Amino acid sequence: MNQAAVIAEITDILELICREHNLPLALTWVSSNSLKNNKRTLNIVSSACCVNDLGMQGFLNACIGHHLEEGQGVAGKALKSTHHCSFSNVCLLDVADYPFVDDARISGLRAALAIKLMIKEGFYRSNVDYVVEFFLPANLEDLEEKTLMDGISASLRKFCENTRTVTAPGYSVQPVPLFGSLNLNQRSLERNHEDSSEVSFSDWNNFQPVAVSGSSLRHSEQKVGEQNAAVEPVQDVDNQLAAVNGSQPTNGNAKRRKISEVWTAFDKVQENGSVWAICRVCKKRYPGESKKGTSNLHKHMRKCFRDRVRDTGQQPSPFVDRSNLMSSMIGSNCMFNQERSRMDIARMVIKHGYPLNIVEHEFFEIFVSSLQPMFEFYSQDTVEVDVLAVYKEEKEKLSKSLDNLSRLFSLTIDLQSYEDRKVTYCCLTLHFIDDGWELKKKILAFKTLAYNCYTGNLYEVIRIVLREWNIDKNVQFICTKLIPPDEQVVGELKSKLSDEVLPHSGDLFYTSCHAQVLSLLVQDGFGEIRTVLYKIRQSIEYFNATPIQRQNFCEVINRLKVQDSTMISQDVPARWETTFLMLERALELRDVFTHLEQVDDDYTVKLSTEEWEMATVMCECLKVFHKSICNFSTSLDVYFENICLIYKNLHKWEKSEHVYIKSMANRMKVKFDEYWSENSLTFGILAVLDPRYKYDLVEYGYEQIYNSDAELHLWIFRHELKRVYSKYASGSNSLESSALTTADMSSSYNPNSDDKLCGFKQWQKHKYESNTGDSHKSELDQYLQEPSVNLGMDSDVLGWWRANALKFPTLGKMARDFLAIPISAILSKSNFIDEIMKMNPAISGLNPEIVEALVCGQDWLESPKRRLTQSEDGVLEMEWNQTPLHHHHPNLLPHPHSSDHNQAAPINSEEHQSSQVQT
């Protein structure tokens, strides 16, 4: 049996019933052939449960972790009997009879109704039983409770009949026959009808009694103890068909091995001694005796199918068997929902980046028509409308969830300009840590701007977006990344954001992209040898102009036995690493260029000896930055090492004998000092809040960067760290802006001052001011005095804080805010907007509003996925995995000794809920 198809049908049925009757919870149980205490057991199928009230999730989780034995609870009694069971208050049951009594009481559950389903494929029954259990709203009167149970039972019968083949042709999901009336009470739970030889049951459509023989009844309730066959034929098929249609059963052979497929579309009944086959669609009658054959029935089935398809206005697919499709159509007409299918297509387009005009593709139409001929196709314009509807719906959900978070956010501003497209894309992304200490990333907006947009237009867009999401007062950490880098734009943007957009009375922590800073520094080096680079580009263009010139160049490379015989490639000026590689390769081919200058009279671009020497010296200097970008790491300790290395080289280049190297070093140092002063506090606090490093990494880095002045700068950092901590400890919403500058510190603490006790006096004054009224060590001091933690290869920093937040509550608040800063995005050399465009190339050229809906919607949609796997013991496991996109963890840095420095280690894997389904 295709258990996945059955579970999907049951899921749809429960959702419809819960929505129609406003039920808080509906569960699906599946039986197991393995016996416990000589009884079968029931396990939850979590993917086929419906939770209408979020307060019921705890009860569902309790059920998922355990099982019911046959006869336990309402579901266990429904499994054991041949009728559905109900109970007015499950909280009154004994714990031995119902293990979930306490959980039901906590969740406020009361009345429950359980019904066993019969699963059939064609005329074969499944060897496992499914029991659906419905919980009614609390505080219902007895009459209301009875009426609601009657309605649920009627709805279940209706939906089961209408979904016989909607998911997998040949399957049917039916409730077992119902004994007596639907008014069941506690006594009905304990009655045993198995000894009855002849009873009556109610027709689910009109509740008229119909007689059924004891043998047929006992067959319908036959147990699954016969485990020798996976699927077992249903006995007395003709009798069952006739009984369901209210006619007398025939006396045909009940054990035929093969039954014609026409009986999936016809009912066989006996009236006045004659056997008739009645079409389930048009109700036309044909002689049904076996000697008459089935040719006429097959002919009618094909004709009836064509008429049905013509009435719905769809073309039949030539690739699908008509009889199977007709059988599917019979059971699915009433369940099909055009609007829901339209929205499903819109979500599919958003999630997977499909083109909007996919609904107009020929083979997509063929595929959908073969699944559901009633589906009405529409144009790309309708898809756009649906995409916007999904976008607005998901935006409202995300906005409500953000409103419930009371913490500071990190905002990354990604800007990329494309001159060839005359457009600039602006992507605003929010980073935060939720109450479960999981790091989340959500794209707030993806705006399409004019290529030459002004800074004023840009910050106005940012202001509108932040106010629209109502988070303008909660953003305190900002990271900017511009491509191509532009110092002036970054400076103006930060100034306007501080003054006019973000109404903070305290600090705003800015962090610039490390890769962009390196790019700006390297451009200073290239500026010193711009003439050399120009001549190299001209030479490459000359030798690549014709195949003959390119061949001559390669022949000289081989003749001079250059180690690497590949041709030199021209750079992309906007990407400095390609320029560096071009320069490095040109130096390797210096002898080739020199030789061609002598033998090729048309080659007039010549580099002098001084220019070659200048290029060689500059290339050695810039190699430091290229190694840094090639060995890129999002690890904080490696970042500190790179900073130290750059500072050491800048100090060395300032003393170079070459004037152009000194000039380059001076300009670089001004930019790098500004970058470091802007980011040092943020990165220092992040290092302190990392239990692997704490204060040691900061101390090591400052000694490498500042040399003899390290103690002064460490003193400044400690002061700033305590100021930030004190603000969190006081419970203030913003951080004071009265920060001491380096100049202030220098005047208050000077090791070379004549007053040798000046530093001590300042230290003493600060000590007593910060500890007034508190004789105990601060939480920060206690944390720093504890030894560093070895988290192993997982480097689960957030996991450590989740476990220690109660021990360090104030530092826990700081960690939840600061560790949300996307370090990997700051340090990474990857282009986020280019990644977005590659993930969804179909958005190019679309309306900006649709582009934003597609990009944001793809990031927001958290579609559940069902996956059926088979374990070693042959048990099918249904996994329900709901994994949000881009829930990366940029601050979970790789272990210091890990060889993989290109990816951040995850905090936690998403929890996978699974339930077992017996094959």
Side-chain angles (χ1 to χ4, degrees):
M1 280 255 176
N2 188 340
Q3 302 289 356
V6 173
I7 291 172
E9 285 191 7
I10 295 175
T11 303
D12 291 338
I13 292 172
L14 295 195
E15 289 177 354
L16 289 169
I17 292 177
C18 286
R19 189 183 309 121
E20 180 176 335
H21 298 285
N22 196 25
L23 304 181
L25 177 66
L27 305 179
T28 300
W29 300 86
V30 64
S31 67
S32 171
N33 281 344
S34 59
L35 301 180
K36 184 173 183 180
N37 301 325
N38 293 323
K39 296 180 180 180
R40 285 185 295 162
T41 58
L42 285 174
N43 294 292
I44 279 288
V45 184
S46 60
S47 59
C49 296
C50 180
V51 180
N52 247 359
D53 183 351
L54 294 180
M56 302 296 111
Q57 189 64 47
F59 179 78
L60 174 59
N61 293 337
C63 294
I64 292 174
H66 300 82
H67 65 270
L68 283 176
E69 293 182 10
E70 187 175 8
Q72 280 188 329
V74 187
K77 288 179 171 60
L79 173 68
K80 186 177 180 180
S81 65
T82 56
H83 63 281
H84 77 238
C85 300
S86 66
F87 197 70
S88 59
N89 192 346
V90 294
C91 298
L92 299 180
L93 294 173
D94 187 77
V95 175
D97 188 47
Y98 190 51
F100 310 118
V101 168
D102 292 335
D103 301 289
R105 187 179 297 112
I106 293 173
S107 300
L109 294 174
R110 294 294 181 266
L113 170 69
I115 302 174
K116 182 167 66 175
L117 303 178
M118 181 175 64
I119 311 300
K120 296 199 308 179
E121 180 181 11
F123 297 107
Y124 292 91
R125 272 190 56 184
S126 170
N127 69 325
V128 296
D129 286 322
Y130 289 86
V131 177
V132 290
E133 185 176 15
F134 302 95
F135 288 90
L136 278 57
N139 304 322
L140 290 179
E141 298 292 339
D142 291 343
L143 182 59
E144 294 176 328
E145 185 176 301
K146 173 191 176 301
T147 304
L148 182 54
M149 287 187 182
D150 290 351
I152 293 172
S153 300
S155 297
L156 180 61
R157 177 65 178 182
K158 177 184 69 175
F159 291 138
C160 284
E161 288 182 346
N162 291 333
T163 60
R164 224 180 295 175
T165 57
V166 66
T167 302
Y171 279 95
S172 64
V173 183
Q174 301 175 355
V176 298
L178 169 65
F179 279 96
S181 70
L182 290 173
N183 184 16
L184 299 174
N185 50 30
Q186 182 176 357
R187 291 179 61 187
S188 68
L189 278 173
E190 301 173 359
R191 284 162 36 196
N192 188 344
H193 298 274
E194 294 181 357
D195 297 331
S196 302
S197 60
E198 187 169 336
V199 294
S200 65
F201 70 97
S202 298
D203 186 292
W204 288 70
N205 295 319
N206 51 29
F207 298 98
Q208 295 298 321
V210 179
V212 180
S213 66
S215 61
S216 296
L217 176 61
R218 279 192 295 274
H219 167 72
S220 68
E221 67 177 351
Q222 74 176 35
K223 296 188 177 180
V224 191
E226 305 168 47
Q227 304 177 24
N228 295 329
V231 179
E232 143 176 76
V234 176
Q235 305 297 319
D236 203 3
V237 174
D238 289 343
N239 287 353
Q240 286 195 356
L241 287 173
V244 171
N245 288 276
S247 305
Q248 295 299 320
T250 65
N251 296 321
N253 188 354
K255 295 185 178 181
R256 288 182 300 173
R257 293 185 178 181
K258 184 176 180 180
I259 299 176
S260 174
E261 63 182 8
V262 300
W263 299 114
T264 62
F266 285 86
D267 290 325
K268 181 183 286 189
V269 298
Q270 184 175 4
E271 295 179 357
N272 301 323
S274 299
V275 180
W276 296 94
I278 303 176
C279 178
R280 294 180 180 178
V281 177
C282 66
K283 304 304 180 184
K284 191 167 182 178
R285 303 159 67 91
Y286 289 89
E289 291 90 349
S290 57
K291 61 182 180 180
K292 296 290 185 180
T294 57
S295 299
N296 288 336
L297 303 185
H298 276 288
K299 186 182 300 183
H300 172 80
M301 193 164 59
R302 289 192 293 269
K303 179 179 182 301
C304 189
F305 167 76
R306 286 195 296 268
D307 294 342
R308 192 72 172 179
V309 170
R310 184 183 64 249
D311 294 340
T312 60
Q314 302 300 321
Q315 292 298 322
S317 170
F319 305 109
V320 180
D321 181 75
R322 299 298 199 274
S323 60
N324 288 341
L325 186 55
M326 180 181 181
S327 176
S328 176
M329 184 178 62
I330 292 171
S332 64
N333 284 343
C334 296
M335 289 297 297
F336 172 65
N337 188 318
Q338 173 75 17
E339 293 300 318
R340 185 178 68 177
S341 298
R342 271 182 47 187
M343 300 312 292
D344 288 342
I345 288 181
R347 291 185 175 90
M348 177 189 73
V349 168
I350 294 173
K351 188 76 170 180
H352 302 292
Y354 297 140
L356 294 177
N357 63 348
I358 188 175
V359 293
E360 300 172 356
H361 292 180
E362 176 185 0
F363 277 86
F364 180 78
E365 293 185 9
I366 292 175
F367 170 71
V368 175
S369 297
S370 67
L371 295 178
Q372 179 49 263
M374 294 183 65
F375 182 80
E376 299 178 6
F377 288 92
Y378 44 87
S379 66
Q380 175 178 336
D381 295 336
T382 304
V383 179
E384 292 185 1
V385 173
D386 293 343
V387 165
L388 291 175
V390 173
Y391 165 75
K392 292 176 182 177
E393 178 185 350
E394 295 299 322
K395 183 176 182 180
E396 184 177 354
K397 292 179 185 178
L398 179 58
S399 180
K400 289 181 180 179
S401 65
L402 293 179
D403 289 342
N404 295 328
L405 294 174
S406 57
R407 58 187 44 83
L408 301 180
F409 297 110
S410 293
L411 179 72
T412 55
I413 304 173
D414 289 88
L415 284 172
Q416 181 159 353
S417 298
Y418 296 91
E419 185 175 4
D420 56 336
R421 307 179 197 172
K422 301 300 180 184
V423 68
T424 295
Y425 292 113
C426 175
C427 185
L428 304 180
T429 310
L430 201 66
H431 307 260
F432 58 92
I433 296 174
D434 63 12
D435 294 331
W437 284 92
E438 291 189 7
L439 192 57
K440 306 291 185 180
K441 177 182 88 67
K442 295 294 180 182
I443 297 177
L444 296 184
F446 190 84
K447 300 295 183 182
T448 304
L449 311 173
Y451 173 73
N452 56 349
C453 65
Y454 297 101
T455 308
N457 304 120
L458 180 59
Y459 92 82
E460 181 65 19
V461 168
I462 298 173
R463 182 185 66 82
I464 292 174
V465 170
L466 295 183
R467 291 189 178 180
E468 180 182 2
W469 287 89
N470 194 30
I471 58 171
D472 53 319
K473 296 182 180 180
N474 300 90
V475 174
Q476 191 144 340
F477 308 92
I478 299 177
C479 169
T480 57
K481 184 175 182 180
L482 276 65
I483 298 178
D486 191 320
E487 290 182 272
Q488 182 178 356
V489 173
V490 173
E492 292 179 2
L493 183 60
K494 290 179 180 179
S495 175
K496 289 183 178 295
L497 287 176
S498 300
D499 298 339
E500 304 179 36
V501 177
L502 300 172
H504 276 281
S505 58
D507 297 337
L508 277 174
F509 290 84
Y510 288 103
T511 50
S512 297
C513 179
H514 184 66
Q516 285 192 142
V517 173
L518 294 185
S519 176
L520 292 172
L521 297 182
V522 173
Q523 294 301 334
D524 288 332
F526 288 155
E528 296 292 335
I529 57 169
R530 62 176 63 89
T531 303
V532 176
L533 294 176
Y534 173 79
K535 289 184 177 181
I536 292 175
R537 292 188 185 105
Q538 291 294 104
S539 300
I540 295 174
E541 289 180 3
Y542 173 78
F543 291 112
N544 278 327
T546 64
I548 295 177
Q549 290 171 331
R550 188 160 49 249
Q551 182 179 355
N552 292 338
F553 192 87
C554 292
E555 288 177 356
V556 175
I557 291 177
N558 294 327
R559 193 182 312 150
L560 297 179
K561 298 181 179 180
V562 178
Q563 185 175 2
D564 186 356
S565 60
T566 58
M567 183 67 179
I568 186 172
S569 300
Q570 192 164 347
D571 66 330
V572 180
R575 296 175 53 192
W576 70 265
E577 62 270 20
T578 64
T579 305
F580 173 81
L581 293 175
M582 181 189 71
L583 175 63
E584 188 177 49
R585 180 60 177 155
L587 291 172
E588 295 173 356
L589 300 175
R590 176 179 177 177
D591 293 340
V592 177
F593 285 110
T594 303
H595 176 79
L596 290 171
E597 289 176 5
Q598 299 172 358
V599 300
D600 190 345
D601 295 333
D602 295 329
Y603 176 46
T604 58
V605 182
K606 299 180 180 180
L607 276 77
S608 64
T609 303
E610 292 76 13
E611 287 175 329
W612 280 115
E613 292 299 324
M614 181 184 296
T616 302
V617 174
M618 183 61 69
C619 186
E620 285 300 315
C621 293
L622 299 183
K623 192 175 293 186
V624 174
F625 301 101
H626 188 257
K627 287 182 178 179
S628 176
I629 203 74
C630 289
N631 300 322
F632 228 89
S633 171
T634 56
S635 177
L636 196 58
D637 56 337
V638 177
Y639 167 76
F640 267 98
E641 289 182 5
N642 283 336
I643 294 293
C644 298
L645 180 63
I646 292 173
Y647 261 114
K648 286 181 179 180
N649 281 281
L650 288 176
H651 290 311
K652 181 177 69 174
W653 296 338
E654 284 180 323
K655 302 174 184 178
S656 174
E657 58 179 334
H658 303 288
V659 177
Y660 55 92
I661 297 297
K662 286 184 178 180
S663 175
M664 175 196 71
N666 290 332
R667 290 200 303 275
M668 284 184 174
K669 195 167 186 307
V670 171
K671 294 178 182 177
F672 206 67
D673 283 341
E674 181 181 354
Y675 165 72
W676 176 242
S677 63
E678 180 184 77
N679 294 274
S680 58
L681 177 60
T682 301
F683 285 105
I685 293 177
L686 284 172
V688 169
L689 292 175
D690 191 325
R692 299 171 298 171
Y693 306 129
K694 295 189 176 180
Y695 189 70
D696 294 342
L697 184 59
V698 180
E699 189 172 14
Y700 165 78
Y702 276 46
E703 288 179 357
Q704 298 295 312
I705 294 170
Y706 297 112
N707 297 323
S708 59
D709 295 331
E711 188 59 34
L712 168 63
H713 291 277
L714 283 171
W715 197 79
I716 297 173
F717 172 75
R718 287 193 294 267
H719 174 83
E720 290 297 295
L721 174 63
K722 291 182 178 180
R723 181 180 64 82
V724 173
Y725 166 78
S726 299
K727 210 63 186 176
Y728 273 88
S730 65
S732 177
N733 293 328
S734 60
L735 304 177
E736 293 178 355
S737 57
S738 57
L740 291 178
T741 63
T742 304
D744 297 330
M745 288 295 184
S746 299
S747 61
S748 62
Y749 174 67
N750 186 356
N752 299 322
S753 173
D754 293 336
D755 185 0
K756 300 300 181 183
L757 294 179
C758 176
F760 168 75
K761 291 176 182 178
Q762 292 293 332
W763 173 85
Q764 188 180 45
K765 178 182 178 183
H766 175 72
K767 173 184 176 181
Y768 284 101
E769 285 179 351
S770 60
N771 291 286
T772 302
D774 184 8
S775 59
H776 302 286
K777 288 183 180 179
S778 69
E779 187 181 304
L780 176 62
D781 292 332
Q782 295 177 31
Y783 167 75
L784 292 177
Q785 289 175 7
E786 290 186 359
S788 299
V789 179
N790 182 8
L791 297 180
M793 297 300 294
D794 294 336
S795 302
D796 189 358
V797 177
L798 290 188
W800 188 92
W801 276 108
R802 180 172 55 245
N804 291 272
L806 294 178
K807 182 179 179 181
F808 303 110
T810 301
L811 287 176
K813 294 178 183 178
M814 286 182 60
R816 196 164 56 185
D817 289 343
F818 275 86
L819 292 178
I821 299 175
I823 298 300
S824 63
I826 296 169
L827 303 182
S828 174
K829 64 178 180 179
S830 64
N831 186 345
F832 182 55
I833 292 180
D834 269 351
E835 291 175 359
I836 291 177
M837 304 298 285
K838 289 178 182 178
M839 288 174 60
N840 193 354
I843 67 177
S844 180
L846 295 176
N847 184 293
E849 185 181 18
I850 297 297
V851 170
E852 183 175 29
L854 291 172
V855 172
C856 295
Q858 187 177 53
D859 184 66
W860 299 343
L861 277 176
E862 300 178 3
S863 301
K865 297 179 180 178
R866 297 191 185 111
R867 186 162 63 95
L868 196 66
T869 59
Q870 189 169 15
S871 60
E872 294 180 357
D873 57 359
V875 176
L876 292 178
E877 296 180 349
M878 179 67 71
E879 293 182 353
W880 179 274
N881 182 17
Q882 194 166 10
T883 307
L885 288 180
H886 305 308
H887 285 198
H888 66 296
H889 307 277
N891 288 319
L892 300 187
L893 312 172
H895 190 269
H897 305 295
S898 174
S899 60
D900 184 6
H901 294 298
N902 294 321
Q903 295 182 356
I907 301 175
N908 278 332
S909 60
E910 292 288 335
E911 296 183 358
H912 298 278
Q913 301 179 5
S914 64
S915 62
Q916 293 186 344
V917 183
Q918 183 85 22
T919 56

